[in-house]
């Protein structure tokens, strides 16, 4: 609602005028507005929870793009430098079979693989195991509310509680001291067949042990 940045004749920003705020919000949420259409597009895409090829669902800090992370593309998307309908054509999916990943959950799946060779597969809804955030006033002082919002929403569209990616090496080999950036515990090395990574980049062990630090 950029119009609220402007100043009225008295030199006061419109964002301090309740009537101006209500009018701007109504305009932004009207069916014909560009912002409402953009949000509807994002909602539709985020709701494709069983589509491994949907880029908007990927964890931004743990999906590597060479010398940068997916977050750089998401920042551009959020700024409006990329259209709401942008499918990020530079990111291609890779066909995976049970010869690659034994527990694939189907004969063939097309998923995104980052430059480290890690495949990101959307977990099935029956495997969602997250917890709903409840923050009281005292806790809010020490909790990073932005991280909580990242776990609940993606570009304004609500995510189901517990949604995550099962991440495994593209060739099916287990991780050995593979480094991931956990938003709660920082960089950690995992030794496991696979790891679970949530939308807010919380990383949890699949089925193996983990160490605090290590080398790939």
């Amino acid at each position: 609602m950029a119009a609220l940045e402007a100043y009225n004749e008295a030199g006061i920003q419109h964002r301090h005028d309740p009537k101006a705020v209500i009018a701007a919000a109504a305009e932004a949420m009207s069916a014909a507005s560009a912002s409402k259409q953009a949000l509807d597009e994002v909602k539709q895409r985020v709701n494709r929870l069983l589509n491994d090829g949907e880029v908007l669902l990927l964890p931004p800090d743990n999906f590597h793009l060479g010398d940068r992370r997916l977050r750089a593309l998401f920042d551009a998307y959020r700024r409006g430098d990329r259209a709401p309908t942008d499918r990020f054509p530079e990111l291609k999916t890779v066909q995976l079979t049970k010869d690659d990943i034994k527990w694939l959950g189907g004969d063939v799946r097309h998923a995104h693989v980052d430059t480290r060779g890690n495949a990101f597969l959307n977990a099935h809804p029956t495997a969602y195991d997250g917890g709903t955030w409840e923050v009281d006033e005292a806790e809010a002082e020490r909790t990073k509310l932005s991280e909580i919002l990242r776990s609940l929403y993606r570009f304004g569209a609500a995510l189901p509680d517990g949604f995550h990616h099962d991440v495994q090496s593209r060739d099916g080999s287990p991780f050995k001291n593979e480094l991931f950036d956990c938003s709660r515990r920082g960089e950690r090395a995992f030794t496991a067949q696979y790891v679970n990574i949530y939308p807010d980049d919380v990383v949890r062990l699949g089925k193996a042990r983990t160490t605090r630090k290590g080398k790939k």
Side-chain angles (χ1 to χ4, degrees):
M1 297 184 288
L4 297 179
E5 295 179 347
Y7 290 82
N8 61 21
E9 295 178 354
I12 301 174
Q13 275 188 308
H14 289 303
R15 66 189 180 91
H16 297 294
D17 181 351
K19 291 183 179 180
V21 171
I22 292 173
E27 169 61 24
M29 296 306 295
S30 67
S33 72
S35 57
K36 179 61 165 58
Q37 292 178 19
L39 181 58
D40 288 344
E41 169 72 16
V42 171
K43 286 181 177 179
Q44 182 182 36
R45 294 176 63 177
V46 168
N47 285 332
R48 298 171 187 163
L49 299 172
L50 297 180
N51 181 1
D52 295 312
E54 180 49 67
V55 176
L56 294 187
L57 294 171
L58 292 169
D61 289 331
N62 279 287
F63 192 91
H64 289 243
L65 300 170
D67 59 351
R68 58 179 179 167
R69 310 290 176 93
L70 181 60
R71 174 175 291 279
L73 302 188
F74 277 4
D75 286 345
Y77 188 77
R78 187 178 63 247
R79 289 194 305 268
D81 296 341
R82 305 183 74 128
T85 55
D86 194 326
R87 293 301 193 268
F88 298 82
E90 64 267 49
L91 302 183
K92 307 295 183 183
T93 58
V94 173
Q95 178 176 295
L96 300 173
T97 70
K98 287 188 176 179
D99 290 333
D100 302 307
I101 299 177
K102 302 300 182 185
W103 48 267
L104 197 61
D107 293 331
V108 176
R109 288 172 71 171
H110 293 81
H112 287 288
V113 177
D114 70 5
T115 53
R116 298 203 300 176
N118 293 335
F120 289 70
L121 298 162
N122 292 2
H124 191 274
T126 57
Y128 294 176
D129 57 0
T132 300
W133 284 96
E134 292 185 6
V135 183
D136 58 28
E137 184 176 352
E139 186 180 13
E141 295 297 326
R142 63 178 183 273
T143 301
K144 295 181 180 179
L145 296 180
S146 61
E147 292 182 4
I148 297 175
L149 292 174
R150 284 179 59 200
S151 72
L152 298 175
Y153 298 94
R154 179 54 51 92
F155 298 114
L159 291 163
D161 191 31
F163 171 78
H164 63 275
H165 284 83
D166 293 327
V167 182
Q168 179 172 332
S169 177
R170 162 70 175 82
D171 61 9
S173 61
F175 292 133
K176 269 191 177 180
N177 291 327
E178 184 80 359
L179 295 176
F180 291 96
D181 293 313
C182 179
S183 60
R184 294 184 190 171
R185 299 183 178 181
E187 186 178 66
R188 295 172 66 84
F190 286 81
T191 294
Q193 187 64 42
Y194 68 96
V195 296
N196 299 329
I197 304 183
Y198 293 78
D200 56 350
D201 282 290
V202 167
V203 184
R204 291 180 177 172
L205 194 63
K207 292 181 180 180
R209 61 186 179 82
T210 180
T211 57
R212 286 191 173 276
K213 273 286 186 180
K215 297 181 179 180
K216 290 172 53 180

